[in-house]
mmCIF file of all heavy atoms in Angstrom:
data_model
loop_
_atom_site.group_PDB
_atom_site.id
_atom_site.type_symbol
_atom_site.label_atom_id
_atom_site.label_comp_id
_atom_site.label_asym_id
_atom_site.label_seq_id
_atom_site.Cartn_x
_atom_site.Cartn_y
_atom_site.Cartn_z
ATOM 1 N N GLU A 1 9.154 1.612 -23.395
ATOM 2 C CA GLU A 1 8.385 1.096 -24.495
ATOM 3 C C GLU A 1 7.162 0.314 -24.067
ATOM 4 O O GLU A 1 6.832 -0.780 -24.628
ATOM 5 C CB GLU A 1 9.236 0.245 -25.428
ATOM 6 C CG GLU A 1 10.389 1.080 -26.066
ATOM 7 C CD GLU A 1 11.304 0.169 -26.899
ATOM 8 O OE1 GLU A 1 10.923 -0.911 -27.331
ATOM 9 O OE2 GLU A 1 12.447 0.672 -27.141
ATOM 10 N N ASP A 2 6.405 0.785 -23.102
ATOM 11 C CA ASP A 2 5.165 0.245 -22.600
ATOM 12 C C ASP A 2 5.359 -1.213 -22.039
ATOM 13 O O ASP A 2 4.388 -1.949 -21.921
ATOM 14 C CB ASP A 2 4.098 0.222 -23.655
ATOM 15 C CG ASP A 2 3.710 1.624 -24.091
ATOM 16 O OD1 ASP A 2 3.694 2.495 -23.191
ATOM 17 O OD2 ASP A 2 3.380 1.835 -25.307
ATOM 18 N N TYR A 3 6.531 -1.561 -21.649
ATOM 19 C CA TYR A 3 6.788 -2.824 -21.044
ATOM 20 C C TYR A 3 6.304 -2.829 -19.607
ATOM 21 O O TYR A 3 6.526 -1.870 -18.864
ATOM 22 C CB TYR A 3 8.265 -3.156 -21.092
ATOM 23 C CG TYR A 3 8.626 -4.515 -20.492
ATOM 24 C CD1 TYR A 3 8.450 -5.697 -21.171
ATOM 25 C CD2 TYR A 3 9.209 -4.587 -19.176
ATOM 26 C CE1 TYR A 3 8.752 -6.926 -20.638
ATOM 27 C CE2 TYR A 3 9.527 -5.806 -18.670
ATOM 28 C CZ TYR A 3 9.329 -6.980 -19.354
ATOM 29 O OH TYR A 3 9.632 -8.177 -18.822
ATOM 30 N N SER A 4 5.594 -3.913 -19.171
ATOM 31 C CA SER A 4 5.164 -3.951 -17.749
ATOM 32 C C SER A 4 5.004 -5.424 -17.317
ATOM 33 O O SER A 4 4.838 -6.329 -18.138
ATOM 34 C CB SER A 4 3.846 -3.217 -17.567
ATOM 35 O OG SER A 4 2.780 -3.864 -18.223
ATOM 36 N N LEU A 5 5.139 -5.590 -16.019
ATOM 37 C CA LEU A 5 4.959 -6.882 -15.387
ATOM 38 C C LEU A 5 4.134 -6.677 -14.115
ATOM 39 O O LEU A 5 4.223 -5.661 -13.492
ATOM 40 C CB LEU A 5 6.291 -7.449 -14.903
ATOM 41 C CG LEU A 5 7.273 -7.997 -15.903
ATOM 42 C CD1 LEU A 5 8.587 -8.416 -15.196
ATOM 43 C CD2 LEU A 5 6.719 -9.223 -16.629
ATOM 44 N N GLN A 6 3.383 -7.671 -13.776
ATOM 45 C CA GLN A 6 2.633 -7.664 -12.482
ATOM 46 C C GLN A 6 3.136 -8.691 -11.576
ATOM 47 O O GLN A 6 3.497 -9.822 -12.007
ATOM 48 C CB GLN A 6 1.166 -7.936 -12.787
ATOM 49 C CG GLN A 6 0.464 -6.847 -13.535
ATOM 50 C CD GLN A 6 -1.033 -7.119 -13.658
ATOM 51 O OE1 GLN A 6 -1.552 -8.027 -13.112
ATOM 52 N NE2 GLN A 6 -1.662 -6.286 -14.468
ATOM 53 N N ALA A 7 3.244 -8.357 -10.301
ATOM 54 C CA ALA A 7 3.720 -9.311 -9.302
ATOM 55 C C ALA A 7 2.802 -9.125 -8.092
ATOM 56 O O ALA A 7 2.427 -8.046 -7.710
ATOM 57 C CB ALA A 7 5.119 -9.071 -8.912
ATOM 58 N N SER A 8 2.413 -10.207 -7.482
ATOM 59 C CA SER A 8 1.598 -10.205 -6.234
ATOM 60 C C SER A 8 2.500 -10.665 -5.092
ATOM 61 O O SER A 8 3.369 -11.505 -5.251
ATOM 62 C CB SER A 8 0.418 -11.112 -6.339
ATOM 63 O OG SER A 8 -0.506 -10.637 -7.300
ATOM 64 N N GLN A 9 2.192 -10.079 -3.931
ATOM 65 C CA GLN A 9 2.971 -10.515 -2.730
ATOM 66 C C GLN A 9 2.446 -11.862 -2.265
ATOM 67 O O GLN A 9 1.266 -12.123 -2.226
ATOM 68 C CB GLN A 9 2.722 -9.450 -1.579
ATOM 69 C CG GLN A 9 3.363 -8.160 -1.867
ATOM 70 C CD GLN A 9 4.845 -8.216 -1.830
ATOM 71 O OE1 GLN A 9 5.484 -8.894 -1.065
ATOM 72 N NE2 GLN A 9 5.510 -7.481 -2.748
ATOM 73 N N ASP A 10 3.359 -12.724 -1.917
ATOM 74 C CA ASP A 10 3.004 -14.017 -1.372
ATOM 75 C C ASP A 10 2.436 -13.815 0.019
ATOM 76 O O ASP A 10 2.896 -12.989 0.802
ATOM 77 C CB ASP A 10 4.201 -14.962 -1.305
ATOM 78 C CG ASP A 10 4.780 -15.241 -2.687
ATOM 79 O OD1 ASP A 10 3.991 -15.256 -3.636
ATOM 80 O OD2 ASP A 10 5.964 -15.474 -2.790
ATOM 81 N N GLU A 11 1.385 -14.624 0.316
ATOM 82 C CA GLU A 11 0.767 -14.630 1.693
ATOM 83 C C GLU A 11 0.384 -13.164 2.076
ATOM 84 O O GLU A 11 0.571 -12.750 3.222
ATOM 85 C CB GLU A 11 1.712 -15.205 2.711
ATOM 86 C CG GLU A 11 2.046 -16.640 2.376
ATOM 87 C CD GLU A 11 3.024 -17.254 3.358
ATOM 88 O OE1 GLU A 11 2.961 -16.902 4.564
ATOM 89 O OE2 GLU A 11 3.838 -18.074 2.980
ATOM 90 N N TYR A 12 -0.168 -12.420 1.220
ATOM 91 C CA TYR A 12 -0.602 -11.038 1.483
ATOM 92 C C TYR A 12 -2.072 -11.047 1.890
ATOM 93 O O TYR A 12 -2.903 -11.498 1.152
ATOM 94 C CB TYR A 12 -0.386 -10.222 0.219
ATOM 95 C CG TYR A 12 -0.579 -8.750 0.404
ATOM 96 C CD1 TYR A 12 0.519 -7.926 0.662
ATOM 97 C CD2 TYR A 12 -1.789 -8.111 0.357
ATOM 98 C CE1 TYR A 12 0.406 -6.551 0.764
ATOM 99 C CE2 TYR A 12 -1.916 -6.758 0.488
ATOM 100 C CZ TYR A 12 -0.831 -5.979 0.728
ATOM 101 O OH TYR A 12 -0.923 -4.598 0.896
ATOM 102 N N PRO A 13 -2.413 -10.580 3.059
ATOM 103 C CA PRO A 13 -3.787 -10.562 3.514
ATOM 104 C C PRO A 13 -4.609 -9.521 2.742
ATOM 105 O O PRO A 13 -4.112 -8.406 2.435
ATOM 106 C CB PRO A 13 -3.701 -10.179 5.003
ATOM 107 C CG PRO A 13 -2.491 -9.338 5.098
ATOM 108 C CD PRO A 13 -1.510 -9.953 4.096
ATOM 109 N N ALA A 14 -5.835 -9.831 2.395
ATOM 110 C CA ALA A 14 -6.691 -8.849 1.770
ATOM 111 C C ALA A 14 -6.943 -7.705 2.798
ATOM 112 O O ALA A 14 -7.295 -7.992 3.968
ATOM 113 C CB ALA A 14 -8.034 -9.461 1.381
ATOM 114 N N LEU A 15 -6.761 -6.504 2.423
ATOM 115 C CA LEU A 15 -6.915 -5.335 3.293
ATOM 116 C C LEU A 15 -8.080 -4.452 2.881
ATOM 117 O O LEU A 15 -8.279 -4.269 1.657
ATOM 118 C CB LEU A 15 -5.593 -4.539 3.378
ATOM 119 C CG LEU A 15 -4.375 -5.237 3.773
ATOM 120 C CD1 LEU A 15 -3.150 -4.385 3.687
ATOM 121 C CD2 LEU A 15 -4.545 -5.772 5.261
ATOM 122 N N ILE A 16 -8.777 -3.887 3.798
ATOM 123 C CA ILE A 16 -9.843 -2.951 3.530
ATOM 124 C C ILE A 16 -9.276 -1.554 3.707
ATOM 125 O O ILE A 16 -8.647 -1.242 4.742
ATOM 126 C CB ILE A 16 -11.048 -3.162 4.457
ATOM 127 C CG1 ILE A 16 -11.618 -4.558 4.195
ATOM 128 C CG2 ILE A 16 -12.075 -2.051 4.281
ATOM 129 C CD1 ILE A 16 -12.653 -4.980 5.183
ATOM 130 N N ILE A 17 -9.451 -0.723 2.651
ATOM 131 C CA ILE A 17 -8.932 0.616 2.668
ATOM 132 C C ILE A 17 -9.921 1.540 3.380
ATOM 133 O O ILE A 17 -11.058 1.577 3.010
ATOM 134 C CB ILE A 17 -8.685 1.141 1.205
ATOM 135 C CG1 ILE A 17 -7.804 0.187 0.457
ATOM 136 C CG2 ILE A 17 -8.023 2.546 1.272
ATOM 137 C CD1 ILE A 17 -6.475 -0.143 0.995
ATOM 138 N N ASN A 18 -9.447 2.224 4.357
ATOM 139 C CA ASN A 18 -10.250 3.211 5.124
ATOM 140 C C ASN A 18 -10.732 4.307 4.159
ATOM 141 O O ASN A 18 -9.972 4.916 3.414
ATOM 142 C CB ASN A 18 -9.409 3.790 6.276
ATOM 143 C CG ASN A 18 -10.254 4.565 7.253
ATOM 144 O OD1 ASN A 18 -11.376 5.038 6.955
ATOM 145 N ND2 ASN A 18 -9.760 4.742 8.441
ATOM 146 N N ASN A 19 -12.051 4.637 4.163
ATOM 147 C CA ASN A 19 -12.540 5.663 3.297
ATOM 148 C C ASN A 19 -12.146 7.081 3.793
ATOM 149 O O ASN A 19 -12.190 7.964 2.988
ATOM 150 C CB ASN A 19 -14.071 5.568 3.274
ATOM 151 C CG ASN A 19 -14.566 4.419 2.415
ATOM 152 O OD1 ASN A 19 -13.906 4.047 1.459
ATOM 153 N ND2 ASN A 19 -15.692 3.829 2.748
ATOM 154 N N GLU A 20 -11.792 7.197 5.025
ATOM 155 C CA GLU A 20 -11.350 8.451 5.551
ATOM 156 C C GLU A 20 -9.821 8.464 5.577
ATOM 157 O O GLU A 20 -9.176 7.740 6.380
ATOM 158 C CB GLU A 20 -11.886 8.725 6.973
ATOM 159 C CG GLU A 20 -13.426 8.919 7.026
ATOM 160 C CD GLU A 20 -13.875 9.290 8.406
ATOM 161 O OE1 GLU A 20 -13.156 9.950 9.122
ATOM 162 O OE2 GLU A 20 -14.979 8.899 8.684
ATOM 163 N N SER A 21 -9.229 9.186 4.680
ATOM 164 C CA SER A 21 -7.773 9.213 4.578
ATOM 165 C C SER A 21 -7.154 10.158 5.629
ATOM 166 O O SER A 21 -7.777 11.141 6.052
ATOM 167 C CB SER A 21 -7.293 9.575 3.183
ATOM 168 O OG SER A 21 -7.826 10.816 2.816
ATOM 169 N N SER A 22 -5.978 9.840 6.033
ATOM 170 C CA SER A 22 -5.280 10.633 7.042
ATOM 171 C C SER A 22 -3.756 10.678 6.730
ATOM 172 O O SER A 22 -3.028 9.687 6.897
ATOM 173 C CB SER A 22 -5.480 10.004 8.435
ATOM 174 O OG SER A 22 -4.617 10.649 9.346
ATOM 175 N N ALA A 23 -3.339 11.847 6.267
ATOM 176 C CA ALA A 23 -1.903 12.063 6.039
ATOM 177 C C ALA A 23 -1.146 11.907 7.317
ATOM 178 O O ALA A 23 0.017 11.438 7.277
ATOM 179 C CB ALA A 23 -1.650 13.410 5.384
ATOM 180 N N GLU A 24 -1.720 12.290 8.425
ATOM 181 C CA GLU A 24 -0.997 12.176 9.744
ATOM 182 C C GLU A 24 -0.770 10.734 10.122
ATOM 183 O O GLU A 24 0.381 10.351 10.521
ATOM 184 C CB GLU A 24 -1.852 12.892 10.854
ATOM 185 C CG GLU A 24 -1.903 14.383 10.680
ATOM 186 C CD GLU A 24 -2.959 14.814 9.668
ATOM 187 O OE1 GLU A 24 -3.927 14.035 9.374
ATOM 188 O OE2 GLU A 24 -2.810 15.947 9.108
ATOM 189 N N LYS A 25 -1.750 9.913 9.977
ATOM 190 C CA LYS A 25 -1.547 8.435 10.186
ATOM 191 C C LYS A 25 -0.529 7.877 9.273
ATOM 192 O O LYS A 25 0.325 7.054 9.716
ATOM 193 C CB LYS A 25 -2.893 7.663 10.014
ATOM 194 C CG LYS A 25 -3.848 7.796 11.171
ATOM 195 C CD LYS A 25 -5.049 6.847 10.834
ATOM 196 C CE LYS A 25 -6.108 6.840 11.877
ATOM 197 N NZ LYS A 25 -7.266 5.970 11.568
ATOM 198 N N LEU A 26 -0.597 8.244 8.023
ATOM 199 C CA LEU A 26 0.406 7.748 7.047
ATOM 200 C C LEU A 26 1.804 8.222 7.409
ATOM 201 O O LEU A 26 2.720 7.386 7.323
ATOM 202 C CB LEU A 26 0.004 8.137 5.657
ATOM 203 C CG LEU A 26 0.980 7.749 4.497
ATOM 204 C CD1 LEU A 26 1.172 6.262 4.470
ATOM 205 C CD2 LEU A 26 0.503 8.291 3.214
ATOM 206 N N GLN A 27 1.904 9.470 7.785
ATOM 207 C CA GLN A 27 3.259 10.024 8.126
ATOM 208 C C GLN A 27 3.881 9.209 9.300
ATOM 209 O O GLN A 27 5.035 8.854 9.266
ATOM 210 C CB GLN A 27 3.150 11.468 8.466
ATOM 211 C CG GLN A 27 4.506 12.118 8.676
ATOM 212 C CD GLN A 27 5.340 12.128 7.423
ATOM 213 O OE1 GLN A 27 4.937 12.515 6.337
ATOM 214 N NE2 GLN A 27 6.576 11.602 7.527
ATOM 215 N N HIS A 28 3.038 8.897 10.313
ATOM 216 C CA HIS A 28 3.525 8.127 11.429
ATOM 217 C C HIS A 28 3.930 6.710 10.971
ATOM 218 O O HIS A 28 5.019 6.202 11.355
ATOM 219 C CB HIS A 28 2.448 8.026 12.508
ATOM 220 C CG HIS A 28 2.829 7.097 13.631
ATOM 221 N ND1 HIS A 28 3.814 7.433 14.560
ATOM 222 C CD2 HIS A 28 2.387 5.874 13.953
ATOM 223 C CE1 HIS A 28 3.929 6.434 15.405
ATOM 224 N NE2 HIS A 28 3.087 5.449 15.056
ATOM 225 N N ALA A 29 3.119 6.047 10.166
ATOM 226 C CA ALA A 29 3.441 4.717 9.662
ATOM 227 C C ALA A 29 4.710 4.744 8.869
ATOM 228 O O ALA A 29 5.537 3.827 9.013
ATOM 229 C CB ALA A 29 2.281 4.199 8.803
ATOM 230 N N LEU A 30 4.890 5.775 7.996
ATOM 231 C CA LEU A 30 6.107 5.847 7.195
ATOM 232 C C LEU A 30 7.345 6.039 8.098
ATOM 233 O O LEU A 30 8.381 5.413 7.900
ATOM 234 C CB LEU A 30 6.042 7.048 6.263
ATOM 235 C CG LEU A 30 5.220 6.851 5.003
ATOM 236 C CD1 LEU A 30 4.948 8.138 4.276
ATOM 237 C CD2 LEU A 30 5.950 5.881 4.061
ATOM 238 N N LYS A 31 7.210 6.888 9.101
ATOM 239 C CA LYS A 31 8.329 7.168 9.972
ATOM 240 C C LYS A 31 8.861 5.916 10.680
ATOM 241 O O LYS A 31 10.066 5.635 10.642
ATOM 242 C CB LYS A 31 7.968 8.245 11.003
ATOM 243 C CG LYS A 31 9.085 8.573 11.930
ATOM 244 C CD LYS A 31 8.634 9.654 12.953
ATOM 245 C CE LYS A 31 9.827 9.920 13.953
ATOM 246 N NZ LYS A 31 9.435 10.776 15.013
ATOM 247 N N ILE A 32 7.935 5.161 11.277
ATOM 248 C CA ILE A 32 8.411 3.961 12.024
ATOM 249 C C ILE A 32 8.834 2.861 11.084
ATOM 250 O O ILE A 32 9.779 2.107 11.330
ATOM 251 C CB ILE A 32 7.327 3.495 13.000
ATOM 252 C CG1 ILE A 32 6.044 3.040 12.349
ATOM 253 C CG2 ILE A 32 7.110 4.550 14.085
ATOM 254 C CD1 ILE A 32 5.051 2.412 13.305
#
């Protein structure tokens, strides 16, 4: 019924997202 909540991570560093995406890099990060 359209219920939602927002939560932020405590002490979360601001991150810059790489404009060039890489499924291979992501797959490695997920695996480990």
Side-chain angles (χ1 to χ4, degrees):
E1 299 177 18
D2 296 325
Y3 181 77
S4 68
L5 287 176
Q6 293 185 5
S8 294
Q9 292 292 321
D10 297 330
E11 300 178 35
Y12 190 96
L15 300 175
I16 296 171
I17 308 302
N18 191 340
N19 286 329
E20 291 185 33
S21 58
S22 169
E24 293 78 23
K25 281 185 181 180
L26 177 58
Q27 188 62 53
H28 173 73
L30 281 166
K31 181 181 177 186
I32 63 174

